[in-house]
Amino acid sequence: MSKPILLTVDDDPSVSRAVARDLRRRYAEQYRVVRADSGPQALETLQEIRLRGDRVAVLLADYRMPEMNGIEFLERAMDLFPRARRALLTAYADTDAAIEAINVVDVDHYLLKPWEPPEEKLYPVVDSMLETWAAAGDPEIESTRIIGHRWSAQAYEVRDFLARSGMPYHWYTVEDEEGRKLLAAAGAGEADVPVLLTAGGDVLLNPSLSEVADKIGLSTTPAEDFYDLIIVGGGPAGLGAAVYGASEGLRTVLVEGRVTGGQAGQSSRIENYLGFPEGVSGGQLTDRARRQASRLGAELLTARRVVGLETHGPKRVVELDDGRRVAAHAVLLATGVSYRRLRADGADDMVGKGVFYGSAATEAQACADQHVVIIGGANSAGQAAMFFSRQAAKVTLAVRGPDLERSMSHYLIQQIRGNDRIEVRTCTEVSSVHGDGHLQKIVLRDNVSGTTEDVDCGHLFVFIGAAPLTDWLPDELERDEAGFLLTGTDLLNAGNRPAGWAPTRDPFPLETSIPGVFVAGDVRSTSVKRVASAVGEGAMAVSLVHQYLAHP
């Protein structure tokens, strides 16, 4: 059983460090002390803790914080950990607010700054809260358990799938005594890992993602054979289309090859999305969109790939990876893009063993006090750098270009430059990757001087380029030279419609060279690579589907 957590949040780094230091001095043997620098960051941390199935014993929050004050934070934290004991850290002038908080959000205590000596002013209060928490009882969250090798690509894939699906789980390695006990209880051995034990007692040996999805209650099989709209891809564009399609009465099914959210779902922090002044994590945004689409009546299939697309008269037919075929009046392709593979010697052998594509939030805890290297210069790389800087001792952001301004938002550049844990290295690439069973070292090359440097590193996160996921589509769908799908007026050549185009009208905006097949999001040629624009295109595509149904 993992140690219960004491979480402290204060926007003043020196105060935050001091509180954490004093708590560790007395409680580190029985409790894990976690600190955050703002209310939103602390809420994200609590969501990750809940996802892992851990317990929180005490929450200690500063009253005066600019983005979200301590009372607001504690009120929202109660939704995640209602049994955790709560205390407010405040200055003498704010004691009235602290007293009010005791009534508003049932705060147990308030602590005045400074709390020196802690033996008299801090520890007695925390001791009292811990006694109350222990007496009330707070069993661990019932969750799925995974047993596997620490540096196993298959085990990482299962953990990442569960995390991005919002499913709590506990992770055990075969090297741990508890992991070995669980394997024995399941009647399995090391050759069977990863092994998944569901909360209901089912055992899965080296399962596929679709098998995992079935066991945890996610839908992988369509309920019908025919729909008004089939959406292929569950990123922001696909989820946006699912929400609007279902809300406007279309029988809508969304098919996602892994888990909804796409690359945006891996973003640790999106701060320029309309309506979220404090920012929102990609996981939070995805979860809300997923629940919203389901509530409105859209059917969501997870861990089910679409492998083919055909036209049969007025029907558009997609083939799923299990051989099943599903038809619809219209199809929306929102498959997004994938990160390009790192062309460095040894990189392919280390995927899931220290080399990761995307943010891989499941690895955050393992990065504590380590050196993390991130490759890429766009927003996703910058967001990852900020995310991992919370726990890593050092983050190196390696950028192939001469600066960050060409591909990263200004707000993010300013945050990175103000973070003393992040080192930015421009005109830099990874030339080779090394390790014995897992990543241990990378070689960075300076493209200006031509010099190389060996860098000790156990975690490398890759955010380079964007490859469209269009290889599975028929040749009749016209693409640009990079493989992105052409739509609307981009299909017209000197005013002439695409070859084989039957309707007497021009292609609608977002419509491909096959009538009734539309495109939204990053996979579309010339699209704007932003979450908000992808959501907008998904909504716009539904409007165009209505026009197509009226005038095919």
Side-chain angles (χ1 to χ4, degrees):
M1 183 179 294
S2 58
K3 293 179 181 180
I5 290 168
L6 312 180
L7 185 140
T8 173
V9 51
D10 196 303
D11 66 309
D12 185 330
S14 62
V15 175
S16 180
R17 286 192 294 268
V19 176
R21 177 202 64 211
D22 287 345
L23 290 175
R24 288 192 181 102
R25 186 181 299 161
R26 183 176 179 97
Y27 303 105
E29 192 171 320
Q30 292 181 289
Y31 298 89
R32 184 157 64 91
V33 178
V34 176
R35 67 184 183 91
D37 297 328
S38 70
Q41 184 188 110
L43 285 175
E44 278 188 39
T45 300
L46 287 177
Q47 286 163 347
E48 293 168 12
I49 291 170
R50 183 167 182 82
L51 190 63
R52 294 197 301 267
D54 291 339
R55 297 169 297 163
V56 175
V58 168
L59 299 167
L60 178 57
D62 182 50
Y63 172 63
R64 287 186 178 273
M65 294 186 290
E67 295 181 78
M68 177 189 297
N69 69 38
I71 297 176
E72 294 168 337
F73 163 72
L74 292 173
E75 190 170 15
R76 293 177 62 177
M78 286 170 64
D79 295 332
L80 294 168
F81 290 95
R83 291 188 177 89
R85 310 322 301 171
R86 298 170 289 277
L88 202 65
L89 187 62
T90 182
Y92 181 79
D94 296 321
T95 51
D96 288 343
I99 294 171
E100 180 185 352
I102 293 175
N103 300 319
V104 174
V105 292
D106 194 25
V107 170
D108 297 283
H109 294 277
Y110 67 88
L111 290 162
L112 290 176
K113 301 179 187 178
W115 58 87
E116 298 292 340
E119 289 77 11
E120 295 180 13
K121 298 183 178 180
L122 176 65
Y123 297 151
V125 171
V126 176
D127 286 344
S128 174
M129 289 192 290
L130 289 174
E131 288 173 9
T132 303
W133 176 79
D138 190 12
E140 289 190 292
I141 299 168
E142 191 176 66
S143 64
T144 298
R145 290 168 290 179
I146 309 166
I147 307 100
H149 292 290
R150 169 67 186 93
W151 297 109
S152 162
Q154 292 85 358
Y156 161 72
E157 188 175 53
V158 173
R159 289 188 292 134
D160 185 62
F161 178 81
L162 289 172
R164 294 178 61 191
S165 299
M167 297 294 172
Y169 71 90
H170 272 107
W171 161 242
Y172 304 88
T173 71
V174 294
E175 292 80 16
D176 297 334
E177 182 180 354
E178 185 64 23
R180 291 193 296 271
K181 289 180 180 179
L182 288 171
L183 276 183
E190 288 194 28
D192 300 312
V193 297
V195 172
L196 185 143
L197 308 176
T198 69
D202 293 322
V203 178
L204 296 180
L205 307 180
N206 193 17
S208 67
L209 295 187
S210 59
E211 290 173 326
V212 174
D214 282 333
K215 281 299 181 184
I216 63 176
L218 299 177
S219 179
T220 60
T221 305
E224 303 180 30
D225 295 323
F226 193 90
Y227 295 84
D228 294 317
L229 175 63
I230 296 173
I231 301 167
V232 185
L239 287 169
V243 167
Y244 280 90
S247 68
E248 294 177 12
L250 297 179
R251 290 172 299 164
T252 302
V253 61
L254 182 151
V255 187
E256 166 55 44
R258 290 181 62 84
V259 61
T260 51
Q263 288 187 3
Q266 295 179 287
S267 295
S268 55
R269 199 79 186 157
I270 303 170
E271 298 204 39
N272 56 357
Y273 191 81
L274 185 67
F276 292 88
E278 286 86 30
V280 61
S281 72
Q284 289 174 302
L285 190 64
T286 295
D287 180 62
R288 293 183 183 189
R290 181 170 51 221
R291 288 187 284 112
Q292 186 178 21
S294 296
R295 181 180 63 81
L296 292 169
E299 187 179 337
L300 306 182
L301 307 184
T302 305
R304 181 63 68 208
R305 290 189 304 114
V306 176
V307 297
L309 171 65
E310 299 175 0
T311 300
H312 295 280
K315 294 194 301 184
R316 305 294 175 261
V317 181
V318 301
E319 181 181 354
L320 306 182
D321 57 0
D322 63 352
R324 181 162 182 158
R325 297 164 67 85
V326 187
H329 291 300
V331 170
L332 174 65
L333 302 174
T335 51
V337 296
S338 63
Y339 293 117
R340 295 191 186 278
R341 308 300 287 184
L342 180 63
R343 295 180 179 177
D345 293 341
D348 288 344
D349 296 332
M350 292 293 162
V351 174
K353 304 174 184 179
V355 174
F356 304 94
Y357 287 85
S359 187
T362 52
E363 293 296 307
Q365 192 172 359
C367 292
D369 301 321
Q370 303 296 310
H371 181 197
V372 171
V373 177
I374 294 170
I375 308 297
N379 276 7
S380 53
Q383 289 160 353
M386 292 298 298
F387 173 74
F388 286 111
S389 70
R390 300 178 195 169
Q391 299 191 47
K394 178 183 178 182
V395 175
T396 295
L397 181 61
V399 185
R400 184 174 59 179
D403 54 49
L404 295 175
E405 278 74 10
R406 297 187 182 189
S407 55
M408 191 178 292
S409 295
H410 176 74
Y411 80 88
L412 200 48
I413 294 173
Q414 296 304 109
Q415 289 180 0
I416 289 171
R417 288 175 175 165
N419 191 320
D420 57 9
R421 291 193 182 187
I422 300 177
E423 169 199 35
V424 178
R425 298 180 61 157
T426 57
C427 301
T428 300
E429 293 186 73
V430 176
S431 61
S432 60
V433 171
H434 305 271
D436 183 11
H438 63 89
L439 180 65
Q440 295 169 311
K441 182 181 72 173
I442 65 173
V443 178
L444 294 178
R445 181 179 62 246
D446 187 308
N447 291 333
V448 175
S449 65
T451 59
T452 61
E453 178 186 351
D454 290 357
V455 176
D456 292 334
C457 168
H459 289 82
L460 175 65
F461 299 94
V462 182
F463 299 83
I464 54 174
L469 300 173
T470 57
D471 293 345
W472 61 278
L473 290 167
D475 294 338
E476 297 94 303
L477 282 174
E478 295 191 14
R479 303 157 168 85
D480 63 18
E481 61 279 2
F484 292 88
L485 295 170
L486 296 171
T487 59
T489 56
D490 289 340
L491 291 165
L492 303 179
N493 185 6
N496 297 317
R497 294 164 184 157
W501 183 264
T504 58
R505 58 173 178 80
D506 288 345
F508 291 124
L510 306 186
E511 191 174 21
T512 68
S513 50
I514 297 179
V517 177
F518 296 83
V519 181
D522 290 356
V523 73
R524 186 178 67 83
S525 179
T526 69
S527 66
V528 178
K529 304 298 188 283
R530 289 292 184 268
V531 176
S533 62
V535 173
E537 285 191 8
M540 178 181 172
V542 171
S543 175
L544 296 171
V545 167
H546 282 294
Q547 293 185 48
Y548 168 76
L549 295 177
H551 304 285

